[in-house]
Amino acid sequence: MRTLSHGIFRAFLATSLLLVSLATSAADDPLPSWNDGATKRAILDFVQRVTAPAGKDFVPAPERIAVFDNDGTLWSEQPMYVQVAFALDRIKALAPQHPEWREKQFFKAALEGDLKAVSQSGAKGLLELMMATHAGMTTEEFEQTVKDWLATARHPRFQRPYTECVYQPILELLAFLRASGFKTYIVSGGGVDFMRPWTEKVYGIPPEQVVGSSMKTKFELRDGKPALVRLPEIDFVNDKETKPVGIDRFIGRRPLLAFGNSDGDHQMLQWTAAGSGARFVGIVHHTDAERESAYDRASPIGRLDKALDEALAKGWTVVDMKSDWKTIFPPRDGR
Amino acid sequence: MRTLSHGIFRAFLATSLLLVSLATSAADDPLPSWNDGATKRAILDFVQRVTAPAGKDFVPAPERIAVFDNDGTLWSEQPMYVQVAFALDRIKALAPQHPEWREKQFFKAALEGDLKAVSQSGAKGLLELMMATHAGMTTEEFEQTVKDWLATARHPRFQRPYTECVYQPILELLAFLRASGFKTYIVSGGGVDFMRPWTEKVYGIPPEQVVGSSMKTKFELRDGKPALVRLPEIDFVNDKETKPVGIDRFIGRRPLLAFGNSDGDHQMLQWTAAGSGARFVGIVHHTDAERESAYDRASPIGRLDKALDEALAKGWTVVDMKSDWKTIFPPRDGR
């Protein structure tokens, strides 16, 4: 009986090892949309180092926090932030109920689709735009508005849903990190409530792992039923110096890996790089005008200047979109 | 060979089933410190209903969010909030460097251990106490201070570390919920940075699943090295009406289950109860003066009045500590 059990055990063990070996072979390239080269090797090496239990750089799974900027890192941010496109469409939809907007220069520009005037209105104009379109409803009503808009809106150049203008190589990286025990987070300057309704489906990142800018909300009983109402007041802006603040507040651990694409991510990258032990800092450099966009030091949206200098000086990993990525976007739905 | 494989497979399957059955038997009572009765049954029934895949109340695992207040729900809050005990000890430790404190009435009371005077100073006094003891250092320095204090501080009545004055029945409930696919969160009025250094070890709740009150922090480069410095300024108070706000901001999903013990949790419980489908709302009612404490409607700390009325009116689950719990605290370390 002992011998039989022993035999069964050995057979089972052999089968298991075979399965493991097959699995390893199938997963030999977890990043098929990345061209072979220094960038891809740097990513694979890093993940191998922090996950090898016997290695000196091993990090226990609960501490494997990976953070990604959203605009320009996970999806396209040109010719304008998707959330601004959303706000402009909301202005048009809400305009009939707000005749007073027609008198205001900024709203006039927005209604006429005068993008240049909109962007020239700067932070103050953008804030007015947000307050007018993102407040005054419950959190659930706003969530529905975002979902409805995304279902029909199309990227002006790529003519596909914005949620399909996401970077296939980064989707693969997110999945690879999760399979390697990482918890993946978004840390974005964009509105947390604009992202949460769709990030789980599109990126595999659940609502509770999205850190972003927010507006104040107020709890109240409406006809005895609890509601959270969105107020026209900024709560937190998660950008530049406040990205590490947001990471500390919402996650409470320093990331092991961080990816960004602009100076808005600079401090988050510095904060990550300064942690003890092995850390990975990556920048998506938009170098591909043909397939997506080419911009960096002089761009009004997603300017990449000081962070690029530090990346080059410190040997952070700079992804060259044109040469490092085989494909940019996922295959179209149904194709 | 096929037959042999088949035989091995059947033997393996039989062994697996045996192991599963043994595991089920051992886990037949996931809540051994809870006395049999309506409360325990209500909890077990609820978890069974939302996790049975074919049932009408089934909820997919990612949506199984459980939130717990901390003070008075996970650990003892009498005779004073543990964080206040920490702050008073910090005042004493820091006093030599702050001779000016001796002139201030509130600090004088704190230094003399005059608890009554301290509590009479109300919210303003408490705020002063927090600012003096919780700001001016980096986040990492503060974390170390909390850890060092908890390692030596003892509960004045129970004479054991505060982290051992936690409720064994709730520890079992947390573990049972996690084993049932729930993500367990703390949603506390206490400082998030006071809790995060130890909640993973004590409750199995990682830092990123702790929601609490916070102070502002500032990112800066100190000798070229990034640091987050704690400012003497309130960032967010997570209490009463703002607990649902905190849940929405940090988690972004409505809880499926919520446990509290005071009116400070009332709105969080209302917010949870008002969700669609099955929801569980629980209150820990401190009815055990002998083993822990007995207090509710008239208590200055942890007052339970309006929430208790609504619980009784709506049939929320009220835990009677004295009759529902076999034991209060975990066995002492090393015993």
Side-chain angles (χ1 to χ4, degrees):
Chain A
M1 192 59 191
R2 282 186 80 90
T3 313
L4 179 59
S5 297
H6 188 67
I8 289 169
F9 175 72
R10 281 183 50 173
F12 172 62
L13 193 69
T15 315
S16 303
L17 288 175
L18 178 68
L19 288 174
V20 168
S21 139
L22 282 173
T24 309
S25 156
D28 255 1
D29 191 356
L31 303 176
S33 297
W34 294 69
N35 285 314
D36 290 329
T39 304
K40 183 171 178 171
R41 261 200 318 277
I43 295 173
L44 294 172
D45 282 358
F46 175 79
V47 173
Q48 202 276 329
R49 280 196 290 140
V50 296
T51 57
K56 71 170 177 50
D57 291 325
F58 177 73
V59 175
E63 293 166 29
R64 293 180 204 153
I65 302 288
V67 297
F68 288 78
D69 168 58
N70 184 42
D71 296 303
T73 302
L74 296 177
W75 74 356
S76 282
E77 63 184 350
Q78 304 285 0
M80 67 175 128
Y81 294 129
V82 181
Q83 194 169 355
V84 174
F86 165 75
L88 291 178
D89 280 356
R90 290 304 299 156
I91 287 282
K92 284 177 202 154
L94 295 168
Q97 302 155 43
H98 295 276
E100 77 279 11
W101 287 355
R102 303 203 162 265
E103 303 308 313
K104 289 190 165 187
Q105 183 51 35
F106 172 73
F107 286 104
K108 211 162 154 273
L111 284 170
E112 286 164 5
D114 183 350
L115 263 191
K116 206 174 154 194
V118 168
S119 58
Q120 275 166 355
S121 68
K124 192 173 163 290
L126 212 61
L127 196 66
E128 262 194 279
L129 184 66
M130 290 297 153
M131 295 305 143
T133 55
H134 284 57
M137 69 288 278
T138 68
T139 49
E140 283 165 355
E141 286 161 357
F142 183 72
E143 180 179 340
Q144 195 55 52
T145 307
V146 172
K147 284 181 176 168
D148 291 346
W149 181 78
L150 281 173
T152 58
R154 293 292 178 273
H155 189 282
R157 175 175 162 199
F158 304 115
Q159 287 301 317
R160 40 158 67 190
Y162 286 104
T163 49
E164 290 180 21
C165 299
V166 298
Y167 306 129
Q168 174 66 19
I170 299 284
L171 295 183
E172 291 168 8
L173 176 55
L174 289 170
F176 174 52
L177 289 170
R178 288 191 291 262
S180 305
F182 281 77
K183 210 161 173 177
T184 53
Y185 280 83
I186 293 172
V187 176
S188 166
V192 68
D193 298 322
F194 180 71
M195 295 182 280
R196 281 176 167 162
W198 51 271
T199 55
E200 186 154 32
K201 194 173 160 202
V202 175
Y203 302 135
I205 296 178
E208 63 269 26
Q209 285 162 225
V210 181
V211 180
S213 299
S214 57
M215 296 173 65
K216 286 197 196 293
T217 61
K218 185 178 184 295
F219 177 85
E220 59 180 51
L221 296 176
R222 290 188 160 188
D223 305 324
K225 205 175 142 53
L228 284 171
V229 180
R230 296 170 59 86
L231 305 178
E233 204 178 329
I234 289 288
D235 173 50
F236 179 58
V237 175
N238 189 53
D239 196 30
K240 300 189 177 79
E241 287 84 2
T242 55
K243 278 203 173 185
V245 169
I247 288 171
D248 181 62
R249 181 183 308 184
F250 286 83
I251 309 176
R253 306 198 205 237
R254 198 191 293 239
L256 201 56
L257 175 150
F259 250 98
N261 78 298
S262 79
D263 283 359
D265 305 311
H266 193 181
Q267 289 81 0
M268 164 173 100
L269 302 178
Q270 290 179 318
W271 179 241
T272 301
S276 59
R279 307 275 160 167
F280 187 96
V281 177
I283 288 180
V284 174
H285 190 189
H286 293 261
T287 52
D288 196 331
E290 198 181 318
R291 294 186 300 171
E292 201 250 6
S293 295
Y295 58 99
D296 48 31
R297 298 183 188 274
S299 176
I301 292 174
R303 177 197 307 267
L304 174 65
D305 185 34
K306 288 183 181 166
L308 187 57
D309 287 339
E310 186 160 353
L312 298 173
K314 301 230 169 121
W316 296 347
T317 299
V318 179
V319 175
D320 181 333
M321 185 177 268
K322 191 168 183 176
S323 64
D324 282 325
W325 288 358
K326 274 184 204 160
T327 54
I328 307 287
F329 300 130
R332 279 176 193 249
D333 242 1
R335 281 230 210 157
Chain B
M1 190 61 192
R2 282 186 80 91
T3 313
L4 177 59
S5 297
H6 189 66
I8 290 169
F9 177 72
R10 281 183 49 174
F12 173 63
L13 194 67
T15 315
S16 303
L17 287 175
L18 178 67
L19 287 174
V20 168
S21 138
L22 281 173
T24 308
S25 156
D28 257 2
D29 189 355
L31 303 175
S33 298
W34 294 69
N35 285 313
D36 290 330
T39 304
K40 183 171 178 172
R41 263 201 315 278
I43 294 172
L44 294 172
D45 283 358
F46 175 78
V47 173
Q48 201 277 329
R49 280 197 290 139
V50 297
T51 57
K56 71 170 178 49
D57 291 325
F58 177 73
V59 176
E63 293 166 30
R64 294 179 204 155
I65 302 288
V67 296
F68 288 78
D69 168 57
N70 184 41
D71 296 303
T73 301
L74 297 177
W75 74 355
S76 282
E77 63 184 350
Q78 303 287 0
M80 69 176 126
Y81 295 128
V82 181
Q83 194 169 355
V84 175
F86 165 74
L88 292 178
D89 280 355
R90 291 303 299 157
I91 287 282
K92 285 177 202 155
L94 296 169
Q97 301 155 41
H98 296 275
E100 76 279 10
W101 286 355
R102 303 202 162 265
E103 303 308 311
K104 289 190 167 187
Q105 182 52 36
F106 172 72
F107 286 105
K108 210 161 154 275
L111 284 171
E112 287 164 4
D114 184 349
L115 263 190
K116 207 174 155 194
V118 168
S119 59
Q120 276 167 355
S121 68
K124 192 174 164 290
L126 212 61
L127 196 66
E128 261 194 280
L129 184 65
M130 291 298 153
M131 295 305 141
T133 55
H134 284 56
M137 70 287 279
T138 69
T139 50
E140 283 165 355
E141 287 160 357
F142 183 72
E143 180 179 340
Q144 195 54 52
T145 307
V146 172
K147 283 181 176 169
D148 291 346
W149 181 78
L150 281 172
T152 58
R154 292 294 177 270
H155 189 282
R157 174 175 162 199
F158 303 116
Q159 287 301 316
R160 40 158 68 191
Y162 286 104
T163 48
E164 290 180 22
C165 299
V166 298
Y167 306 130
Q168 174 66 19
I170 299 284
L171 294 183
E172 292 168 8
L173 176 56
L174 289 170
F176 174 51
L177 289 171
R178 288 192 291 262
S180 305
F182 282 77
K183 210 162 173 175
T184 53
Y185 280 84
I186 293 172
V187 176
S188 166
V192 68
D193 298 322
F194 180 70
M195 296 182 280
R196 282 176 167 163
W198 50 272
T199 55
E200 185 154 31
K201 194 175 160 202
V202 175
Y203 303 136
I205 297 178
E208 62 269 27
Q209 285 161 228
V210 181
V211 180
S213 299
S214 56
M215 295 173 65
K216 286 199 197 292
T217 61
K218 185 177 182 297
F219 176 86
E220 58 181 51
L221 296 176
R222 291 187 158 187
D223 304 325
K225 207 175 139 55
L228 284 171
V229 179
R230 296 171 60 84
L231 305 178
E233 204 179 328
I234 290 288
D235 173 51
F236 179 59
V237 174
N238 189 53
D239 196 31
K240 299 187 178 80
E241 288 83 2
T242 55
K243 277 204 174 186
V245 169
I247 289 170
D248 182 62
R249 181 184 309 184
F250 287 83
I251 310 177
R253 307 197 204 239
R254 198 190 293 240
L256 200 56
L257 174 149
F259 250 97
N261 78 297
S262 79
D263 282 359
D265 306 311
H266 193 181
Q267 289 81 359
M268 165 173 99
L269 302 178
Q270 290 178 319
W271 178 241
T272 301
S276 60
R279 305 277 160 166
F280 187 96
V281 177
I283 288 180
V284 174
H285 190 188
H286 293 262
T287 53
D288 197 330
E290 199 182 317
R291 294 186 300 171
E292 202 249 5
S293 296
Y295 59 98
D296 49 30
R297 297 185 190 273
S299 176
I301 291 174
R303 177 196 307 266
L304 174 64
D305 185 36
K306 288 183 181 165
L308 186 57
D309 287 340
E310 186 161 352
L312 297 172
K314 301 231 170 119
W316 295 348
T317 298
V318 179
V319 175
D320 181 334
M321 186 178 267
K322 191 170 183 176
S323 64
D324 282 326
W325 288 358
K326 274 183 203 161
T327 54
I328 306 287
F329 300 130
R332 278 174 195 250
D333 241 3
R335 279 232 210 156

